[in-house]
């Protein structure tokens, strides 16, 4: 099969982790007889440095010619980077938001899994983690507060800022359908998270989610208020299967869930639209403080590449091979600095990529 992939190395550790994901993808393609065509695309700070803007029309055009996008990370250290002296709509993050909107990537899948081999890194007590947990957070990604009207003005000498949170029922329905479809392939439970005791947008969210649930009688739907959910994630994470929520709640809760696994450097993500097209990136950020030192953990990006093979190209066996390689490398005792523990072997980013590529095996 021919795979057309747009690659966004981005900023900070992005280029390093993308290089390792490509190593692993190339080895997988070799073994299974596929041909990958990569096209590099600039986004975020890397695009600002060359074009003065975080996303160009040309970049969107190139991405549209591809079947999927593999992304590293974007953004820098706001305290020191010149990118953050630009107007808000010209900063790196604005490029990513605009790209999500342009491609209509409304469903953001963020798995938060406790890896058995890394249970030591989990900050929760053993009696809480018990048999581990495997949560799929589905965050609405192109609506709500991050895309509503916003402005800052001065009225009678008083500064005032406004952000608007708008959802229509179609936006809620399509992401809810994705969440229920995914729950059907998992443990058949959806926890829809909102703030329906205060917000109108949440009350509509709840009503539409209930309508969608009628088409999925085998899936249990429960509603949970966002503040309670933040607490339940550290009190009893194993109660969750699929968490469905709006844009800002999902942004916050997915960071919390990933930290609860103790290994944010391990967590992948997929952003999907209504076709097979998707953008795949690690859940972590660009970590400018460790960029260029060959110490970043490339596993989240490698696992994002596996999600890409699964969701955009329907290559389940190939994706399984990559996920198995990750488990084997951990069993073999190799760790990057972020997940190191006593009696394990510490390796850098590039060596980790080599070790993973070596472990890709054919699953026929
Ligand atoms: C994320 C990030 C982005 C978001 C930023 C970089 C705009 O935090 O992907 O979670 O808020 O969506
Ligand atoms: Mg975030």
């Amino acid at each position: 099969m021919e795979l057309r992939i747009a690659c966004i190395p981005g900023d900070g550790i992005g280029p390093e982790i993308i290089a390792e994901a490509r190593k692993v993808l190339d080895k997988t393609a070799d073994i299974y007889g596929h041909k990958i065509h990569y096209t590099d695309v600039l986004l975020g700070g890397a695009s600002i440095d060359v074009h003065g803007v975080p996303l160009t029309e040309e970049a969107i055009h190139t991405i549209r010619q591809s079947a999927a996008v593999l992304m590293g990370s974007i953004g820098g250290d706001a305290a020191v980077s010149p990118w953050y002296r630009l107007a808000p709509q010209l900063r790196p993050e604005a490029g990513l938001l605009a790209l999500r909107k342009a491609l209509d990537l409304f469903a953001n899948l963020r798995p938060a899994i406790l890896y058995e081999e890394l249970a030591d890194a989990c900050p929760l007590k053993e009696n809480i983690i018990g048999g581990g947990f495997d949560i799929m957070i589905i965050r609405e990604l192109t609506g709500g507060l991050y895309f509503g009207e916003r402005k800052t003005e001065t009225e009678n000498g008083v500064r005032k800022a406004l952000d608007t949170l708008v959802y229509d029922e179609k936006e809620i329905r399509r992401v809810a359908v994705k969440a229920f479809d995914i729950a059907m392939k998992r443990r058949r439970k959806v926890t829809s998270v909102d703030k329906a005791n205060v917000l109108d947008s949440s009350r509509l969210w709840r009503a539409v989610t209930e309508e969608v649930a009628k088409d999925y009688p085998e899936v249990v739907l429960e509603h949970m208020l966002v503040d309670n959910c933040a607490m339940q994630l550290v009190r009893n994470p194993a109660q969750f299967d699929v968490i469905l929520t709006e844009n800002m709640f999902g942004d916050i809760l997915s960071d919390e869930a990933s930290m609860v696994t103790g290994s944010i450097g391990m967590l992948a993500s997929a952003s999907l639209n209504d076709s097979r097209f998707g953008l795949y990136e690690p859940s972590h950020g660009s970590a400018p403080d460790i960029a260029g030192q060959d110490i970043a953990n490339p596993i989240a990006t490698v696992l994002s590449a596996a999600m890409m093979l699964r969701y955009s190209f329907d290559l389940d066996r190939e994706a399984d091979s990559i996920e198995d390689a990750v488990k084997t490398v951990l069993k073999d005792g190799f760790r990057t600095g972020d997940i190191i523990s006593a009696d394990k072997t510490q390796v850098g980013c590039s060596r980790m990529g080599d070790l993973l590529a070596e472990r890709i095996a054919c699953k026929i």
Side-chain angles (χ1 to χ4, degrees), residues 1-15:
M1 179 175 182
E2 307 256 319
L3 281 60
R4 278 185 200 287
I5 300 172
C7 232
I8 301 178
D11 310 320
I13 58 171

Side-chain angles (χ1 to χ4, degrees), residues 74 93-94 96-97 100 108 110 139 141 146 247 251 254-255 281 283:
I74 55 114
E93 289 74 8
L96 178 58
L97 292 177
R100 288 172 178 167
N108 182 213
R110 296 190 166 181
R139 166 189 176 193
L141 203 59
Y146 294 10
N247 204 342
D251 188 16
S254 60
D255 264 31
E281 58 170 321
S283 280

Side-chain angles (χ1 to χ4, degrees), residues 327-335 340 343-346:
K327 285 183 196 135
T328 312
V329 110
L330 294 176
K331 276 203 192 85
D332 292 346
F334 296 105
R335 304 281 190 273
I340 190 73
D343 73 10
K344 300 291 186 262
T345 311
Q346 185 161 342

